[in-house]
Amino acid sequence: MLDKSAKAYWAANVRLLTICLAIWFIVSFGFGILLLDQLNTIHLGGYKLGFWFAQQGSIYVFIGLITFYAWRMGQIDREFDVHE
């Protein structure tokens, strides 16, 4: 891989990681801790929404982010011709 192409590949990889980590931080820390009182006024399946995000929602989002990251990195790998 050319040096210029390698830099573009890692820039795309770091950009994707930054987006995924920002979403995870917002959901787990923001929704589960900072916005807990506001979200607890909304109920989801008999539970307060803030409680749900703190206990289960952030886990579901994390699993979704892992799936999205693997799918998107596959696309990036093919785009830069470094796939298996």
Side-chain angles (χ1 to χ4, degrees), residues 6 17 22 28 32-33 39-40 50 73 81:
L17 277 173
S28 63
I33 296 173
L39 290 174
N40 276 340
M73 275 308 299
D81 198 29

Side-chain angles (χ1 to χ4, degrees), residues 66-77:
I66 291 171
T67 304
F68 171 74
Y69 177 79
W71 170 76
R72 184 66 182 118
M73 275 308 299
Q75 286 183 332
I76 292 172
D77 286 349

